């Protein structure tokens, strides 16, 4: 969903007077509502009992099926939505029930997921696929100010680093033992505070399987504490985030935070397709796919194990030092103030 928003922002530029609604599942609705280019968020669970009635009673004249959904495609067709845009190479029902088509293969393309979504703008006469740097400029969020409880957690003098170890099964994960080793390596820098984020269920898994990580003195567990909107604010108020290919990773990159993405080299999970975007993002990947990676259904694999905690720690320590240097520069007295003090 986060990687679909740049396309929506570009659509807004092409049609400044258009009203853009985003139809999504409830669990991502909070983040969708933070996007400055979305006028309305429609929750799928609220309309799935009668999607035809929803479309008929709306003033929607165009639907872009950025993700295929047979029920919604058929409903838009039955409701007589004027323009129904879908990828004719993706599903047969998109060919049958859409009337404006784009044609591309996600499996064969070398484009990033966020770039792929710009293909859907071709029926509007926009054939340009932006560079990854340009895509980053299409990511805009309006975030609320943090509440007092969150502000009291984070200290501006520290380097607040988020570990988001789990991915809800959406990709390969870095071994939790690597996160523990990374926490130990970062303990050499007293300025770094580590926050573990995730759902309540992911927090339970970590407490059952990663007790050593949670026991580190520089680590605080906040899993299950935040709604998705609050997590977005927490990421924005922090300094950096480390995760595999999951939603909070892309949100961190979109917010311009220091971000480390951890990926296997195997298609379609590789960073070429799912890297965190943003000028402060770094994406790490092993050089060679492990033999069983293509068929392995486990959450982690040897490819992910090859990304070392030492390599990751070096990047974070540099970021922490840069923040310390910036803070020191801001607190240096000017020559005029120095003279007065003397």
């Amino acid at each position: 969903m986060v990687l679909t928003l740049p396309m929506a922002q570009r659509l807004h530029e092409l049609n400044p007077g258009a009203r853009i609604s985003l139809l999504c599942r409830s669990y991502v609705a909070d983040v969708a509502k933070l996007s400055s280019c979305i006028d309305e968020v429609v929750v799928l669970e609220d309309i799935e009992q009668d999607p035809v009635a929803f479309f008929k009673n709306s003033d929607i004249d165009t639907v872009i099926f950025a993700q295929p959904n047979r029920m919604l495609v058929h409903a838009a067709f039955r409701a007589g939505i004027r323009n129904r845009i879908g990828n004719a190479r993706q599903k047969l029902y998109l060919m049958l029930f859409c009337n404006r088509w784009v044609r591309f293969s996600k499996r064969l393309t070398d484009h990033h997921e966020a770039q792929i979504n710009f293909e859907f703008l071709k029926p509007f006469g926009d054939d340009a696929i932006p560079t990854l740097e340009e895509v980053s400029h299409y990511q805009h969020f309006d975030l609320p100010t943090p509440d007092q409880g969150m502000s009291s957690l984070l200290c501006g003098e520290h380097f607040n680093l988020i570990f988001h170890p789990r991915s809800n099964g959406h990709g390969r994960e870095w071994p939790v033992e690597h996160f523990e080793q990374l926490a130990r390596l970062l303990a050499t820098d007293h300025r770094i505070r580590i926050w573990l984020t995730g759902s309540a269920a992911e927090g339970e898994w970590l407490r059952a399987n990663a007790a050593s990580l949670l026991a580190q003195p520089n680590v605080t567990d906040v899993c299950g504490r935040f709604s998705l909107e609050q997590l977005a604010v927490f990421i924005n108020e922090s300094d950096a985030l480390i995760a595999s290919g999951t939603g909070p990773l892309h949100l961190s990159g979109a917010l311009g935070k220091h971000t480390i993405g951890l990926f296997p080299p195997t298609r379609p999970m590789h960073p070429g397709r799912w890297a965190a975007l943003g000028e402060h993002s770094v994406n790490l990947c092993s050089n060679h796919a492990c033999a069983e990676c293509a068929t392995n259904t486990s959450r982690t694999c040897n490819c992910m194990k090859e990304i070392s905690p030492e390599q990751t720690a070096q990047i974070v320590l540099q970021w922490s030092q840069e923040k310390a240097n910036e803070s020191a520069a801001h607190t240096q007295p000017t020559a005029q103030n120095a003279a007065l003090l003397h």
Side-chain angles (χ1 to χ4, degrees), residues 3-47:
L3 298 179
T4 305
L5 293 174
M7 178 266 283
Q9 179 67 44
R10 175 61 179 158
L11 180 61
H12 205 281
E13 292 182 2
L14 293 172
N15 301 272
R19 176 176 173 81
I20 300 178
S21 302
L22 182 70
L23 175 58
C24 62
R25 295 196 176 275
S26 58
Y27 78 96
V28 293
D30 280 354
V31 169
K33 292 174 183 177
L34 300 175
S35 173
S36 60
C37 67
I38 301 300
D39 299 297
E40 177 191 25
V41 175
V42 181
V43 176
L44 176 61
E45 289 86 344
D46 292 341
I47 69 161

Side-chain angles (χ1 to χ4, degrees), residues 43-54 71:
V43 176
L44 176 61
E45 289 86 344
D46 292 341
I47 69 161
E48 60 185 351
Q49 292 299 318
D50 195 350
V52 177
F54 164 74
M71 175 190 69

Side-chain angles (χ1 to χ4, degrees), residues 110-113 115 132 269-275:
D110 289 327
H111 282 142
H112 188 276
E113 179 73 11
Q115 292 174 301
L132 291 180
M269 299 174 287
H270 66 309
R273 173 79 177 274
W274 296 104

Side-chain angles (χ1 to χ4, degrees), residues 164-186:
H164 195 86
R166 307 289 279 170
S167 68
N168 197 26
H170 290 160
R172 293 286 190 266
E173 295 174 356
W174 211 36
V176 70
E177 295 81 9
H178 281 30
F179 278 105
E180 179 190 346
Q181 179 61 20
L182 177 58
R184 293 180 184 274
L185 293 170
L186 295 179

Side-chain angles (χ1 to χ4, degrees), residues 218-241:
N218 55 345
V219 172
T220 302
D221 176 15
V222 291
C223 289
R225 179 164 178 170
F226 304 127
S227 68
L228 193 54
E229 179 186 76
Q230 291 170 329
L231 178 61
V233 174
F234 189 73
I235 292 172
N236 193 50
E237 293 298 311
S238 299
D239 295 291
L241 178 143

